[in-house]
Amino acid sequence: TASSNAPIVIDNTAYSQGIFQNNNGAIALILIFGLGLLLALTPCMLPMYPILTTLLSGQQDTRQIRSVLLAFAYVTGMALVYALIGIVAAKTGAGLYRYMQGPWVLGLFTVLLVILALSMFDVFQIQLPAQWQTWIQHRTQGKSGYTGAVILGAASALIASPCVTAPLIGLVGFIVQTGDVLKGAMALLVLAYGMGLPLILMGAGLGRWLPKSGAWMTRIKQLIGIVMLLAALWVSQPLWYKAWLNATGSNTPTTSFVPVTTATELQRKINQSDKPVFVDVYADWCRSCIEMERKVFPDARVQAAFGKMTLLRIDMTQFNDEDAAILTALKLYGPPAMLVFEPVQGREVMRIIGFQEADALAQNLNQALSSTGR
């Protein structure tokens, strides 16, 4: 039947990507705000909470309304950075995703988090020139204190921006496709305010209870340092995970993939295969790819399905022009993605975008095999 021959399509980015396509502008922005609230629960936001705590605890004016407004200014700084990301995505295309997850970006923000964490333990002090300190103190304590909060929020957003999640990928993917600068800026601006709502609520609570200064701040600083170190470890996982596996002797791949480097080579291997073809779109800097390789592919049920397939991998770690051409040919935005093609004819029978648990992947692989008569 037609339904049994329909390809399996599971796209974890599809909901956010289809928001603007399926709703009018106002409803779309409300839904995007809700997505931002969900993203506020992810580890990407961990560094934001101690940074905001430090900002609020240093204030001479501890009125609750002052703390709420400072937190709102802080979130506004975040939102402006995300709006800029939306504008850049509309102008530059899919390459933005690669740059946000590239090793230099991840490494830079990992180092920044570690430096900030060590300063919390008084290993050293980050000392700015006296004139800069006077300017910052004026901006954060005086009548114009909200300016400093906006600047700090913008800097904090740069720490979180490498943490690309499925909803953000979907939104940026839509922006890239349409090239609509206004929609791109508005979508990510609203997303950021959704992400920042818990920070504003936290500011409302902390404004009442946090004292201005005292010995307690030493323990708070150390706690902030620990949180920042944990955030640095999580952000940098794509950089150190494979090296750690090699060092511990546990980097024995459970799945052997044949590398593919061009769209032409991919099509040729599909046409020459006598078995259904599984294509894994992968990169070392893709956190979900690492999770799939570590937790999902070794599963016995997944391995059993793999045994009936030709396994190909497109490694986009370096991301060159050939990789961009493959993404265009496959109509993908970037890794992680898993596709299954019928042998010889090359009909696509399965497409999974994003992370998927082992039981669901095994079921989908078996269904894909059945649709090819295997």
Side-chain angles (χ1 to χ4, degrees), residues 241 245 250 252-257 289-306 311 313 355-359 361-362 365:
Y241 175 67
L245 288 180
S250 54
T252 303
T254 58
T255 307
S256 180
F257 291 95
C289 300
I290 294 173
E291 292 296 304
M292 293 293 296
E293 187 171 67
R294 183 179 67 172
K295 297 180 179 179
V296 177
F297 291 166
D299 184 272
R301 296 163 296 176
V302 174
Q303 287 292 309
F306 278 169
L311 305 179
R313 169 168 283 177
F355 179 85
Q356 188 169 70
E357 297 289 350
D359 54 351
L361 179 60
L365 289 174

Side-chain angles (χ1 to χ4, degrees), residues 15-336:
Y15 176 75
S16 55
Q17 195 166 20
I19 283 178
F20 272 116
Q21 297 167 336
N22 302 325
N23 301 278
N24 63 44
I27 294 176
L29 292 177
I30 292 172
L31 293 175
I32 289 171
F33 184 84
L35 283 178
L37 282 174
L38 294 177
L39 290 182
L41 305 176
T42 65
C44 293
M45 291 295 292
L46 274 180
M48 305 296 188
Y49 294 96
I51 292 173
L52 180 60
T53 301
T54 303
L55 171 67
L56 296 179
S57 63
Q59 297 301 309
Q60 296 175 356
D61 185 346
T62 58
R63 290 177 300 165
Q64 187 174 23
I65 184 62
R66 166 76 172 178
S67 297
V68 171
L69 292 176
L70 276 172
F72 183 80
Y74 177 85
V75 171
T76 297
M78 287 174 47
L80 291 175
V81 168
Y82 273 86
L84 180 62
I85 290 174
I87 293 172
V88 173
K91 290 292 187 181
T92 64
L96 176 68
Y97 174 61
R98 167 173 62 102
Y99 291 121
M100 290 173 68
Q101 286 285 273
W104 286 105
V105 175
L106 293 176
L108 174 64
F109 288 111
T110 298
V111 170
L112 177 59
L113 285 170
V114 171
I115 290 174
L116 292 173
L118 293 177
S119 71
M120 294 294 104
F121 293 108
D122 292 325
V123 174
F124 55 81
Q125 290 187 345
I126 301 176
Q127 197 79 354
L128 296 175
Q131 290 181 336
W132 290 21
Q133 293 184 49
T134 301
W135 183 85
I136 292 173
Q137 185 175 13
H138 173 70
R139 290 297 183 273
T140 57
Q141 296 285 2
K143 295 180 179 179
S144 302
Y146 306 111
T147 304
V150 170
I151 295 171
L152 189 58
S156 301
L158 293 175
I159 294 175
S161 62
C163 296
V164 177
T165 56
L168 183 56
I169 292 172
L171 280 178
V172 175
F174 171 81
I175 295 165
V176 167
Q177 290 173 10
T178 62
D180 191 320
V181 173
L182 179 60
K183 281 186 178 179
M186 285 298 299
L188 292 192
L189 184 77
V190 170
L191 183 80
Y193 273 114
M195 293 167 63
L197 181 59
L199 293 170
I200 296 173
L201 296 177
M202 187 183 82
L206 287 178
R208 176 175 299 178
W209 301 111
L210 280 180
K212 183 181 67 174
S213 62
W216 69 279
M217 276 299 295
T218 300
R219 298 299 180 194
I220 292 296
K221 283 174 61 179
Q222 292 171 351
L223 179 60
I224 291 171
I226 291 172
V227 172
M228 285 187 171
L229 286 176
L230 291 174
L233 187 66
W234 189 85
V235 166
S236 64
Q237 183 187 6
L239 302 179
W240 56 259
Y241 175 67
K242 283 207 166 183
W244 178 77
L245 288 180
N246 291 330
T248 58
S250 54
N251 192 20
T252 303
T254 58
T255 307
S256 180
F257 291 95
V258 176
V260 174
T261 58
T262 68
T264 302
E265 182 184 10
L266 173 63
Q267 189 61 53
R268 184 176 69 251
K269 288 185 180 298
I270 292 173
N271 293 340
Q272 294 174 350
S273 177
D274 59 353
K275 297 186 292 186
V277 179
F278 177 87
V279 179
D280 180 39
V281 182
Y282 170 92
D284 285 347
W285 39 259
C286 166
R287 186 170 287 103
S288 294
C289 300
I290 294 173
E291 292 296 304
M292 293 293 296
E293 187 171 67
R294 183 179 67 172
K295 297 180 179 179
V296 177
F297 291 166
D299 184 272
R301 296 163 296 176
V302 174
Q303 287 292 309
F306 278 169
K308 303 173 184 178
M309 298 177 168
T310 298
L311 305 179
L312 306 180
R313 169 168 283 177
I314 303 167
D315 189 339
M316 297 194 167
T317 300
Q318 301 303 319
F319 202 88
N320 52 36
D321 291 341
E322 293 291 351
D323 294 330
I326 291 175
L327 290 182
T328 300
L330 296 178
K331 298 180 180 179
L332 291 172
Y333 180 59

